[in-house]
Amino acid sequence: MQFPESWLREFCNPPLSSEQLADTLTMAGLEVEERRPAAPPFSGVVVARIEHLEPHPQAERLRVCQVDVGGGERLQIVCGAPNARAGMVVPCARVGAVLPPGPSGEALHIGLGQLRGVASHGMLCSAQELGIADDASGLLELPADAPLGQDVRTCLQLDDQIFTLKLTPNLAHCLSVYGVARELAALTGAPLHTPAWPRVAPTQTEVLPVQVLAPDLCGRFSGRIVRGINAGAATPAWMVQRLARCGQRSVSALVDISNYVMFEFGRPSHIFDLAHIEGGLQVRWGCAGETLQLLNGQTVSVDETVGVIADAQALESLAGIMGGAATAVSDATRDVYLEAAFWWPKAIAGRSRRYHFSTDAGHRFERGVDPATTVEHLERITELILQICGGQPGPIDDQSLNLPQPQPVALRVARAAKVIGMPLTLEQCAQALRRLGLQVHEGQGSLSMTPPSYRFDLQIEADLIEEVARLIGYEHLPHTPPLAPVTALAQPERRRGPYALRRLLAQLGYQETINFSFVQERWERDWAGNAQPIALLNPIASQMSVMRSSLLGSLLAVLKFNTDRKAERVRVFELGRVFRHDAAVPDGPTSVAGVAQPLRVAALAWGDALPLQWGEGARSVDFHDLKGDLQALLAPRQARFEPAEHPALHPGRCAQVWLDGQAIGYIGELHPRWRQSEGWQQAPVLFELELEPLLQRELVQAQPVHRHQPVQRDLAVVLPERVAHAELLATVRGADRTGWLTDVRLFDIYRPKLGHNAGAGSLVEGEQSWALRLTLERDDANLTDAQIDAVVQSVLAALSAQLHARLRA
């Protein structure tokens, strides 16, 4: 909400400076986001009139002007503006004037100059040169009655301050200059100059027939015909100026009048070209298949949830949002129909977003506009039209069908004192609410009031408590620090926090990402195998319509964003919640019935395994690199990896991760079809794990130094290729009944080349030779050769019996 301070002070003018006024509004909840002057600083520019001009003798595009700057003084100024003419009143920068900085960033100092041999004693200025507007096409024309010699800053009120308010949705009654003035009067006690709402006497009797067929869409509809207007009349300079300082450019007199009254009193209205209305109007819900071309050129399709205004042949307006192009006013318009209505906020909310645009009208109506003043606002619009465009107004047709019925709201003084945090009396609460113009009825320790028609936000006791706090002043609340026992929460040593996990991943070279929990339905179907994700009732965007049940889609989207920008190496992770259906989940303070919300951690690696360096050649990151990072994350706990399948991962390069006998997630390479669809030449590798098992950790326990020398034995065994590494180690460890086997390491794998004889050991296709190093150690004595051989033989026997292994010759 943007407006000039001078306009606000016409309704309420407290004895406050601009800075104090801004602080007062901000402390009352009407945050002043920006306060700036209407024009940047400049000096030495006065009102002048061009008395005479003649062509420059040495330049076709220049003219020599004789300029009256007041007090009988005339200056000769050379000017190249195409719109310069005799009798024109313009800004004149005299010698010594300082103009706002130009593109170079330096202020312009005006001096006595020579232009093609002709002396120039100053400069005639455009709006751009004064920093008022972007128009540099010609000189800024001032009102013809502007006093010559007057400072332009005074003439145009350029020291006026422009306020920009950042209003919360509950402050819809402040979306106008008068609404802000009403709040300011309540805050400061300064008198509020309430408009008189003059009645315009009709000079003809014609009424346009209007049927309101949807009272749940439109609760009140008021309109009037005005004939014989001059739509091409110029908008007065004062109105153009105020609209510009509200951030609205001038369009035409009729459109400007409608916008002006909206900024003035907060009610959007619409002006139809009467000649293009066939028959009467109907206010109704749309029908599937109907279309409408809007004023912005966009053609939209409506359905039964969108309100419209239609005539006998076609749609003419999106109710409460934007008018149609067919009935738009133009300079050729001679007869108009003025409309002011009350649209139910729930009938307007969200409709603009459906068509990917927003309007000032929709912004106001979806928050609530006073239904009690449609007729008064029509009178104001009519008054301005008659002043500027002329015409013969008809009577106002006012239909009230379904108006809001405000319900009384009670306020307990004791409750207000507890919430606000300071002692309050009944009189203080009542006085604060009366300053807002509310009709208050006092009781025993409580009071009640019925909200006025323009306060849609006053519905419950908490709303009244907020009003009391605002009017008393947040700056007057006592400073009482909270008192509470401070006790340290003991963190179990066997558990680490999520931040420790984040730090570990960061140390491994991964960067954390934070993504929306709302994702595309395609991600869930393709990458999570979830055919029925949890759908959002009101998604913020069409591509964010469901809740994610996996973090992998979010990480792949991050990778896509980076690779589209030529990133060469990506390491990212995310720790966040996923959402899936689970009928076993009850409703509770931190849970929703039927919806599980577990925390997970996922990571993705893509690009080279190592940054560019001289010590090792470049190679692409693979499954084993990510597996190593995952094992470092879990250390000293040992995970087990079993071949598995996952919708997002390569069927032959995917494993399920098991920890302490529990499946906690998956690790693998992205499926080739998803890699190809995204256009990646290299496949990213990913893992996704449940968070809770990762937060458990083993305590480090001190071990005594062994007094006896360990013994190592190497074995080479021939195994079928289907045997997994984990299965091999488990078999070896299980074969030891003595407890002397302290470590088993795989240090070599040999596979024969296809079509070649394996040589000694006679390996055949489908077999491979694995070399193991066994470490044995005994605490109480040195191991003998017989004891060592016994352990080795038990290992070989177990490998032969369980894995069909044989010792390689």
Side-chain angles (χ1 to χ4, degrees), residues 203-417:
T203 59
Q204 47 99 4
T205 60
E206 187 177 359
V207 174
L208 182 71
V210 177
Q211 289 181 293
V212 181
L213 304 180
D216 56 338
L217 166 66
C218 178
R220 185 177 184 181
F221 193 95
S222 305
R224 104 179 316 158
I225 291 174
V226 181
R227 288 192 176 275
I229 65 169
N230 176 18
T235 305
W238 61 267
M239 183 178 288
V240 173
Q241 182 190 83
R242 281 191 171 173
L243 288 173
R245 293 180 185 179
C246 289
Q248 179 71 49
R249 67 179 180 87
S250 176
V251 179
S252 66
L254 291 174
V255 176
D256 291 347
I257 289 169
S258 177
N259 288 333
Y260 182 85
V261 175
M262 179 183 69
F263 287 118
E264 186 177 33
F265 296 118
R267 177 179 303 285
S269 58
H270 190 62
I271 302 178
F272 296 85
D273 188 329
L274 186 63
H276 296 110
I277 297 178
E278 300 292 336
L281 293 178
Q282 285 188 346
V283 180
R284 58 176 174 82
W285 293 106
C287 299
E290 289 185 309
T291 60
L292 169 66
Q293 184 178 8
L294 299 172
L295 288 172
N296 63 1
Q298 180 179 349
T299 299
V300 298
S301 299
V302 304
D303 57 23
E304 296 81 359
T305 63
V306 179
V308 298
I309 300 176
D311 64 11
Q313 293 188 353
L315 303 185
E316 303 298 351
S317 175
L318 276 185
I321 299 174
M322 185 181 289
T327 55
V329 295
S330 65
D331 288 349
T333 300
R334 291 295 173 263
D335 306 316
V336 296
Y337 180 73
L338 315 181
E339 167 259 306
F342 166 68
W343 306 100
W344 282 95
K346 290 184 179 179
I348 305 300
R351 272 60 174 188
S352 296
R353 291 192 296 275
R354 178 181 303 186
Y355 301 115
H356 310 293
F357 65 83
S358 63
T359 63
D360 287 333
H363 181 78
R364 286 165 170 79
F365 279 125
E366 68 183 6
R367 286 160 174 77
V369 176
D370 187 0
T373 54
T374 57
V375 172
E376 289 80 357
H377 290 175
L378 270 186
E379 297 285 10
R380 174 62 169 157
I381 293 172
T382 306
E383 176 190 19
L384 292 172
I385 289 177
L386 296 183
Q387 288 177 8
I388 300 169
C389 304
Q392 295 82 45
I396 291 180
D397 174 32
D398 181 33
Q399 303 181 51
S400 295
L401 302 99
N402 180 25
L403 299 182
Q405 301 299 320
Q407 300 299 315
V409 183
L411 170 67
R412 296 165 293 173
V413 177
R415 176 63 179 168

Side-chain angles (χ1 to χ4, degrees), residues 408-464:
V409 183
L411 170 67
R412 296 165 293 173
V413 177
R415 176 63 179 168
K418 183 176 181 180
V419 172
I420 296 175
M422 65 180 291
L424 291 173
T425 65
L426 182 65
E427 180 59 29
Q428 283 178 299
C429 295
Q431 183 181 5
L433 296 178
R434 288 193 178 105
R435 285 163 57 188
L436 289 168
L438 308 180
Q439 299 297 320
V440 178
H441 304 283
E442 299 181 20
Q444 186 66 34
S446 66
L447 52 84
S448 65
M449 53 74 63
T450 299
S453 56
Y454 58 85
R455 292 301 299 265
F456 285 80
D457 59 314
L458 301 182
Q459 298 180 1
I460 58 176
E461 183 181 37
D463 298 329
L464 294 186

Side-chain angles (χ1 to χ4, degrees), residues 622-633:
D622 60 19
F623 175 91
H624 299 286
D625 293 310
L626 192 70
K627 179 184 176 184
D629 290 341
L630 177 55
Q631 289 174 322
L633 191 66

Side-chain angles (χ1 to χ4, degrees), residues 1 42 203 224 242 303 340 406 606 747 783:
M1 174 64 188
F42 62 82
T203 59
R224 104 179 316 158
R242 281 191 171 173
D303 57 23
W606 181 88
F747 65 89
L783 288 168

Side-chain angles (χ1 to χ4, degrees), residues 533-604:
I534 299 171
L536 296 172
L537 296 178
N538 186 24
I540 61 176
S542 59
Q543 71 273 18
M544 306 172 77
S545 60
V546 300
M547 304 294 289
R548 65 183 180 184
S549 64
S550 170
L551 302 180
L552 297 184
S554 300
L555 294 185
L556 289 170
V558 172
L559 175 62
K560 179 68 174 174
F561 181 89
N562 281 272
T563 55
D564 286 348
R565 286 152 183 81
K566 307 302 181 184
E568 297 181 351
R569 188 171 183 271
V570 178
R571 298 287 188 281
V572 291
F573 79 92
E574 182 176 7
L575 194 156
R577 291 192 182 278
V578 296
F579 304 83
R580 51 184 173 78
H581 293 290
D582 188 346
V585 177
D587 203 4
T590 59
S591 62
V592 177
V595 178
Q597 307 177 50
L599 281 166
R600 289 185 183 172
V601 60
L604 176 148

Side-chain angles (χ1 to χ4, degrees), residues 81-162:
N83 65 334
R85 66 181 187 277
M88 185 178 186
V89 178
V90 296
C92 174
R94 306 186 64 168
V95 173
V98 180
L99 297 185
S104 65
E106 296 183 2
L108 179 62
H109 295 264
I110 304 300
L112 181 63
Q114 290 276 340
L115 292 178
R116 297 287 185 94
V118 177
S120 182
H121 299 264
M123 172 181 170
L124 304 183
C125 302
S126 67
Q128 185 187 60
E129 288 162 339
L130 297 180
I132 301 173
D134 294 331
D135 184 13
S137 60
L139 300 177
L140 173 64
E141 186 166 3
L142 301 178
D145 58 352
L148 299 183
Q150 185 182 41
D151 191 305
V152 166
R153 298 195 72 90
T154 303
C155 176
L156 297 180
Q157 294 182 307
L158 297 183
D159 290 322
D160 195 5
Q161 295 285 308
I162 307 299

